[in-house]
């Protein structure tokens, strides 16, 4: 238990270090963009590749892709239900922020530290389905719901965003190699392991740089409503996944942790594109980081991971 709390505390420290350095202007906006690009396009893909180096074909893992997408679609639908009598800005806020899991930049470091390479592969599979929603799927459905006539090419936009997403394309490439049984050469694994080892620190630093705090009552009330719905759904789904799915213990543990992940970092971007309140979205995302750290740490202890 001490080691678990120590590791979790280390993540918290790095997040608040990033936030502190941002507030002290140690990092400029350009520096923050550089960190984000480095994590998303180099370090995270390297961590994914190195984890797949020890991949043993397990058909149950492929079901996780479907579960990642299904969880998102359910939350998007809940966002629509709760906002059906509200204006388009609230509808966009709820649909885009009820759904979406921050896996690569938040949950993956936890899995790396506590559940090893097989756990990383499992969370990556879940994130494939999650990414379909986060990188454009939820946005397309939201624009349809708010009747945004300017988004006629939403489906095309989804595929363009997925194609340009380095982590997503890395997932797809690793999946293809896994399906056809091609092993990644050891020299490549050696290089990617070295780079991917930085994912824990850099991802949490990136989260800290994106962290935002607000004391506006309107922000607080709406953000808490979003999080209450997310975490109630997560609690129910976690119970079902852990107790009733016919998967190995590690996969069920990964699923439980995954669905308590914070709101996707892309949610605020798409909220703004739908003319919603991106500031409120960023605040809700930041709050979700705090709650997710607490909940995931508790789960790791409770599940004896």
């Amino acid at each position: 238990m001490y080691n678990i709390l120590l590791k979790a505390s280390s993540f918290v420290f790095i997040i608040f270090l990033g936030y502190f350095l941002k507030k002290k202007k140690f990092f400029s906006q350009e520096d923050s963009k550089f960190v984000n690009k480095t994590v998303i396009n180099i370090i995270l893909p390297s961590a994914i590749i190195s984890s797949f180096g020890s991949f043993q074909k397990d058909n149950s893992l492929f079901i996780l892709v479907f579960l990642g997408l299904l969880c998102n679609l359910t939350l998007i639908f809940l966002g629509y239900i709760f906002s059906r009598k509200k204006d388009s800005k609230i509808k966009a806020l709820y649909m885009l922020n009820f759904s979406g899991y921050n896996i690569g930049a938040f949950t993956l470091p936890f899995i790396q530290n506590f559940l090893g390479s097989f756990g990383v592969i499992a969370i990556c599979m879940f994130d494939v389905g999650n990414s379909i929603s986060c990188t454009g799927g939820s946005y397309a459905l939201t624009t349809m719901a708010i009747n945004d006539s300017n988004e006629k090419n939403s489906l095309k936009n989804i595929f363009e965003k997925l194609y340009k997403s380095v982590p997503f394309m890395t997932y797809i490439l690793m999946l293809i190699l896994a399906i056809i049984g091609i092993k990644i050469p050891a020299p490549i694994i050696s290089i990617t392991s070295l780079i991917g080892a930085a994912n824990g620190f850099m991802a949490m630093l990136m989260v800290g740089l994106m962290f935002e705090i607000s004391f506006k009552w309107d922000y607080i009330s709406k953000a808490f409503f979003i999080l209450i719905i997310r975490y109630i759904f997560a609690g129910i789904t976690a119970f079902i996944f852990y107790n009733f799915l016919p998967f190995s213990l590690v996969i069920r543990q990964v699923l439980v942790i995954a669905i308590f992940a914070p709101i996707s970092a892309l949610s605020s971007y798409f909220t703004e594109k739908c003319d919603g309140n991106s500031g409120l979205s960023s605040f809700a995302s930041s709050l979700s980081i705090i709650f997710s750290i607490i909940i995931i740490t508790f789960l790791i202890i409770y599940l004896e991971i």
Side-chain angles (χ1 to χ4, degrees):
M1 180 175 171
Y2 172 77
N3 289 333
I4 292 171
L5 291 175
L6 183 62
K7 287 182 180 180
S9 299
S10 299
F11 287 147
V12 174
F13 172 77
I14 296 168
I15 289 171
F16 281 101
L17 175 65
Y19 178 73
F20 174 78
L21 293 175
K22 180 182 73 170
K23 288 298 180 183
K24 292 297 181 181
K25 302 191 184 303
F26 181 85
F27 285 111
S28 66
Q29 192 169 9
E30 290 302 314
D31 292 333
S32 298
K33 289 180 180 178
F34 173 77
V35 171
N36 292 354
K37 285 184 178 180
T38 303
V39 171
I40 298 299
N41 297 309
I42 299 174
I43 297 175
L44 176 56
S46 295
I48 294 167
I49 293 169
S50 59
S51 296
F52 271 85
S54 58
F55 180 80
Q56 298 294 324
K57 193 170 181 180
D58 183 341
N59 291 331
S60 63
L61 287 171
F62 297 102
I63 301 173
L64 303 188
V65 177
F66 169 74
L67 292 178
L69 182 58
L70 179 63
C71 287
N72 274 278
L73 291 175
T74 305
L75 285 166
I76 292 169
F77 178 70
L78 287 175
Y80 176 77
I81 293 297
F82 279 101
S83 63
R84 66 188 184 281
K85 294 183 179 180
K86 301 184 184 295
D87 62 38
S88 61
K89 291 186 177 183
I90 296 297
K91 188 168 288 184
L93 179 73
Y94 285 2
M95 291 181 70
L96 290 166
N97 292 272
F98 276 17
S99 63
Y101 299 100
N102 188 340
I103 300 295
F106 182 89
T107 315
L108 185 59
F110 276 92
I111 300 297
Q112 274 182 302
N113 275 271
F114 293 105
L115 285 168
S117 59
F118 183 74
V120 171
I121 292 170
I123 197 74
C124 287
M125 292 294 200
F126 181 88
D127 198 28
V128 172
N130 175 58
S131 295
I132 294 171
S133 175
C134 289
T135 56
S138 59
Y139 174 57
L141 292 173
T142 301
T143 54
M144 289 168 60
I146 62 178
N147 297 315
D148 188 345
S149 59
N150 293 322
E151 286 295 331
K152 295 179 180 178
N153 297 316
S154 291
L155 190 59
K156 180 184 176 183
N157 291 340
I158 293 173
F159 286 112
E160 285 180 354
K161 290 181 187 301
L162 289 174
Y163 177 74
K164 292 177 181 178
S165 170
V166 177
F168 182 79
M169 293 308 296
T170 304
Y171 287 145
I172 296 301
L173 177 60
M174 293 300 103
L175 275 173
I176 292 171
L177 293 178
I179 290 170
I180 61 181
I182 295 179
K183 289 284 186 181
I184 304 167
I188 293 178
I189 295 298
S190 178
I191 295 170
T192 56
S193 295
L194 180 63
I195 300 171
N199 188 57
F201 172 75
M202 291 297 292
M204 291 300 157
L205 185 68
M206 184 181 82
V207 169
L209 293 174
M210 295 188 297
F211 198 83
E212 292 294 339
I213 297 175
S214 175
F215 296 102
K216 297 178 182 177
W217 170 247
D218 184 55
Y219 275 30
I220 294 171
S221 60
K222 285 188 173 66
F224 268 92
F225 178 72
I226 290 169
L227 296 184
I228 286 169
I229 299 300
R230 277 182 66 99
Y231 289 126
I232 288 175
F233 172 80
I236 295 170
T237 310
F239 179 80
I240 295 170
F241 282 177
Y242 191 77
N243 291 287
F244 299 108
L245 289 184
F247 297 147
S248 68
L249 177 61
V250 172
I251 292 178
R252 287 182 285 126
Q253 289 172 333
V254 165
L255 285 172
V256 168
I257 292 173
I259 55 177
F260 279 102
I263 298 171
S264 167
L266 291 172
S267 292
S268 58
Y269 168 74
F270 286 121
T271 300
E272 185 175 32
K273 285 202 70 174
C274 289
D275 199 29
N277 191 331
S278 60
L280 174 52
S281 176
S282 295
F283 175 60
S285 179
S286 297
L287 270 185
S288 72
I289 290 168
I290 297 173
F291 285 108
S292 290
I293 288 173
I294 295 169
I295 294 170
I296 289 174
T297 302
F298 169 77
L299 288 171
I300 290 170
I301 295 170
Y302 179 75
L303 298 175
E304 299 180 347
I305 295 175

